[in-house]
Amino acid sequence: LHTESPGSLLPQFQSWSLLCLGPSSLYSHNLGLQEQQQAGLLGGSAYLLPWDVIVRLEQSQKDRFWPQVGDTGCGRSKPGQPMGLSKGRKTKGGKDLSEFNVKIFVGVEYECPRGHRFMCSAPDKVLKTSGSGLVKDNGNKVTGCDMPLYFPCPCRASKPLTAQLMRIHVVTPKAPVHVTLNPRVQPAPSPCPTFVTGCQEPMRLSQSAYWVLRLPYVYVGDQGPYLPPKDPIPPNYGKLLAGMYGISEVGSSDFKF
């Protein structure tokens, strides 16, 4: 389905897939993704990117306000407080202002025709760990920018194969928020339409879990399929549009510290 499809049109076959692999403890940022969990990932790229999001909540008797996801930063919880939640404070206007610092792990995964898989840390950069095995990048660029749908695979230096964006990894936090996904893909330059999941609302991911969203392998419009570009890959040929990630509030009955 795409943005120009009739509202009553149903997809002819399954193309998007959202799967919960299990609890968030499946991923350790110190160890990365293990071979038995995600086989085929190239060495130095088997990690997710930490993404710190500060969510500010102003509470009064009548309204609540949640800021944009783009507000990022780091914070520490005081002893006795739940992880990721800083103590609320009152403003001069009498409103109770609370700040939540949530850490989310995200991964943008590509796969080439030979089955080699790798993550990107920016629209133009393959994720690579340092010599000591540390990840110095964060998730701000992959969550805040358009990500290319096609990328040269680093499996060989000469005549690299074209890899395609196939999976989005998200490890959700233990905090009173839902991470939401609303993917939109433009597989070719304009006037190519934007392909969507067909869901009326963004997909809400449960807390403290490891989620993987699989993207379509083939994008078919009214005029036929949109094929991958020939080498070399033209800039901005196809892309996953920015604005995919969001944060929504969890009701008090849904979250317990």
Side-chain angles (χ1 to χ4, degrees):
L1 298 178
H2 51 74
T3 51
E4 299 177 7
S5 301
S8 59
L9 183 65
L10 297 177
Q12 294 182 346
F13 51 86
Q14 181 182 4
S15 53
W16 304 82
S17 176
L18 181 62
L19 176 66
C20 180
L21 298 183
S24 59
S25 58
L26 287 176
Y27 177 72
S28 169
H29 197 51
N30 293 327
L31 301 176
L33 296 167
Q34 301 303 297
E35 179 69 19
Q36 62 269 25
Q37 296 175 329
Q38 301 289 339
L41 283 167
L42 298 179
S45 186
Y47 286 83
L48 304 182
L49 294 169
W51 180 35
D52 290 311
V53 181
I54 290 182
V55 182
R56 297 182 181 89
L57 173 62
E58 290 184 8
Q59 288 185 323
S60 64
Q61 294 182 352
K62 294 184 179 181
D63 60 358
R64 290 182 176 184
F65 173 73
W66 289 83
Q68 297 296 323
V69 175
D71 292 341
T72 59
C74 298
R76 294 183 178 179
S77 300
K78 295 182 179 180
Q81 285 185 263
M83 181 66 68
L85 175 63
S86 59
K87 185 177 180 180
R89 61 183 186 275
K90 290 187 177 181
T91 62
K92 294 182 179 179
K95 291 185 178 181
D96 186 22
L97 178 62
S98 298
E99 289 185 356
F100 298 84
N101 176 46
V102 296
K103 183 180 290 292
I104 305 165
F105 290 95
V106 296
V108 181
E109 181 195 327
Y110 293 78
E111 184 173 348
C112 81
R114 291 188 174 183
H116 299 130
R117 302 164 60 191
F118 60 94
M119 303 285 186
C120 277
S121 59
D124 57 351
K125 182 180 178 182
V126 175
L127 172 62
K128 292 183 179 180
T129 57
S130 63
S132 57
L134 299 177
V135 177
K136 296 184 178 180
D137 299 294
N138 58 47
N140 291 341
K141 291 184 178 180
V142 298
T143 57
C145 302
D146 293 341
M147 291 298 294
L149 185 60
Y150 303 102
F151 200 91
C153 184
C155 61
R156 62 185 188 186
S158 61
K159 296 183 179 180
L161 298 173
T162 298
Q164 182 173 332
L165 174 56
M166 290 304 304
R167 299 171 190 88
I168 301 294
H169 300 247
V170 181
V171 177
T172 57
K174 296 179 181 179
V177 294
H178 281 301
V179 178
T180 63
L181 299 179
N182 185 26
R184 298 171 299 134
V185 175
Q186 188 177 23
S190 297
C192 173
T194 300
F195 286 77
V196 295
T197 62
C199 298
Q200 298 298 321
E201 300 290 338
M203 297 173 288
R204 300 177 67 187
L205 309 184
S206 61
Q207 301 158 264
S208 189
Y210 191 143
W211 289 86
V212 176
L213 173 67
R214 189 200 68 200
L215 278 66
Y217 181 68
V218 178
Y219 297 86
V220 181
D222 298 335
Q223 307 301 322
Y226 292 93
L227 301 178
K230 297 181 179 180
D231 297 331
I233 302 174
N236 300 320
Y237 181 86
K239 52 193 173 183
L240 173 68
L241 300 178
M244 169 179 170
Y245 307 88
I247 298 289
S248 67
E249 180 182 358
V250 174
S252 57
S253 60
D254 297 331
F255 183 86
K256 295 181 180 180
F257 290 110

